Amino acid sequence: MASHKQNQWTSRFRELEEFKREHNRCQVPTKNSQPNPSLGQWVNDQQRQYRLMNQGLTSSMTFERVNLLNDLGFEWSVGRRKSLL
């Protein structure tokens, strides 16, 4: 049985997939001018969790999540499309 946090992550990932279909990118604005500013905050958090994981610090990021996000074309930082893993 999937945990509540895993279900939340999966739900946000699906929102990002939909955003990508509509906008052809994974860079989600965090400003209130777009329809889902919390998705932009989630994207920023994924980038932060990825950095923590790469530094060997406690992180909610997993290799499975990295692969899912990479397959979607997620940008881990400005100007970089692929993960370091």
Side-chain angles (χ1 to χ4, degrees), residues 28-30 32 34 36-46:
V28 182
T30 56
N32 290 331
Q34 60 101 11
N36 192 349
S38 63
L39 180 60
Q41 294 166 355
W42 180 83
V43 165
N44 286 343
D45 189 54
Q46 300 315 295

Side-chain angles (χ1 to χ4, degrees), residues 8-9 11 14 20 23-24 51 61-62 73 79:
Q8 283 182 321
W9 192 93
S11 176
R14 288 185 183 135
K20 170 87 184 265
H23 302 281
N24 200 31
R51 284 191 302 273
M61 186 57 64
T62 65

Side-chain angles (χ1 to χ4, degrees), residues 1-59:
M1 181 180 211
S3 73
H4 178 68
K5 287 192 181 242
Q6 178 61 33
N7 289 338
Q8 283 182 321
W9 192 93
T10 301
S11 176
R12 285 291 187 191
F13 180 77
R14 288 185 183 135
E15 289 178 38
L16 183 59
E17 287 178 313
E18 181 62 28
F19 183 90
K20 170 87 184 265
R21 275 191 291 279
E22 291 177 15
H23 302 281
N24 200 31
R25 61 188 168 92
C26 291
Q27 294 170 313
V28 182
T30 56
K31 304 279 186 208
N32 290 331
S33 61
Q34 60 101 11
N36 192 349
S38 63
L39 180 60
Q41 294 166 355
W42 180 83
V43 165
N44 286 343
D45 189 54
Q46 300 315 295
Q47 293 166 331
R48 185 175 63 83
Q49 292 299 321
Y50 178 74
R51 284 191 302 273
L52 291 171
M53 183 180 84
N54 280 333
Q55 294 169 0
L57 301 172
T58 301
S59 169

